[in-house]
Amino acid sequence: MGGEKILLIEDEKNIMELLQYNLEKEGYKMAWAADGQQGLKLFSDEKPDLILLDLMLPGMDGLEVCRRLRSQAGFTVPIIMLTARSDEVDKILGLEMGADDYITKPFSIRELLARIKASLRRTGPTGEEEIIRREALELKPEQYLALFHGQKLTLTPKEFALLYLLCSYPGRVITREEALQKVWGYEYYGDTRTVDVHIRQIRNKMEQINPEDTPIETLRGIGYRWRR
Ligand code: CA
């Protein structure tokens, strides 16, 4: 346990206390904000490694907080949304929002811990310089940099990881289950539509740069493939 710092933005004190107790027991450092404004301020002051963000907050809601965090240059901190409603999932994972993961209330501490660990592992330093080139795409995982036709693709950490996975095996089908395991890093409790949402976002972003070039192929009912 590296003593990573987690910023919790949550207005419900009992949830805050529950999480603080359990996460500190696991060796994490905690910072807590009870609303979005304070959360944004604490983010700059505390420089957390991960953010747990409640969707329903007084004043500025979780969607807006997420958007503002994401709009900061060079932002790569994983955000896990806490939500009471599973029908918010598309919005949460969507382009304008850019959360990396979500967990539906009520959640088990064990499940939350698994997701926190997976998110931190994914974004932690790899210590190796690596560049992947596939036709017009260039990935530099160390810097979370993705260039498509020479232009920067602004991706969330999960989108980046998914694109990285596809590019690592050009021509090979990546099933949605495999993507969940490799990118999300645990047995996912949600459904495979999470993968579809992320693929859609990646495609949208690539299309904005070059609508003619569509290197990610869909194999209906199976998964996705980077064309050979
Ligand atoms: Ca709340």
Side-chain angles (χ1 to χ4, degrees), residues 85-135:
R85 297 172 51 187
S86 56
D87 61 350
E88 296 277 359
V89 169
D90 271 357
K91 209 196 285 177
I92 288 166
L93 297 175
L95 181 69
E96 73 276 24
M97 270 290 302
D100 301 290
D101 203 354
Y102 68 95
I103 191 161
T104 311
K105 293 177 181 177
F107 49 79
S108 78
I109 292 294
R110 240 184 89 194
E111 185 187 351
L112 182 65
L113 282 172
R115 293 189 184 207
I116 289 172
K117 277 183 191 143
S119 280
L120 288 172
R121 192 167 55 234
R122 215 167 28 248
T123 54
T126 60
E128 53 193 73
E129 195 78 64
E130 189 185 9
I131 300 177
I132 289 190
R133 288 191 183 87
R134 300 275 175 254
E135 303 154 68

Side-chain angles (χ1 to χ4, degrees), residues 9-12 15 34 54-58 82 105:
I9 307 176
E10 164 69 81
D11 58 312
E12 285 161 75
I15 294 183
D54 185 30
L55 184 63
M56 299 288 286
L57 291 168
L82 311 174
K105 293 177 181 177

Side-chain angles (χ1 to χ4, degrees), residues 27-122:
Y28 296 109
K29 299 190 195 82
M30 293 294 293
W32 174 52
D35 63 47
Q37 289 291 1
Q38 199 192 348
L40 291 171
K41 185 179 181 310
L42 275 187
F43 172 73
S44 350
D45 293 350
E46 300 279 339
K47 313 222 177 333
D49 301 292
L50 181 139
I51 298 168
L52 293 175
L53 175 58
D54 185 30
L55 184 63
M56 299 288 286
L57 291 168
M60 189 193 306
D61 70 7
L63 297 170
E64 182 58 24
V65 177
C66 191
R67 197 155 29 228
R68 292 198 190 188
L69 287 168
R70 280 256 163 258
S71 69
Q72 299 182 19
F75 183 90
T76 57
V77 178
I79 299 175
I80 300 178
M81 294 287 298
L82 311 174
T83 170
R85 297 172 51 187
S86 56
D87 61 350
E88 296 277 359
V89 169
D90 271 357
K91 209 196 285 177
I92 288 166
L93 297 175
L95 181 69
E96 73 276 24
M97 270 290 302
D100 301 290
D101 203 354
Y102 68 95
I103 191 161
T104 311
K105 293 177 181 177
F107 49 79
S108 78
I109 292 294
R110 240 184 89 194
E111 185 187 351
L112 182 65
L113 282 172
R115 293 189 184 207
I116 289 172
K117 277 183 191 143
S119 280
L120 288 172
R121 192 167 55 234
R122 215 167 28 248

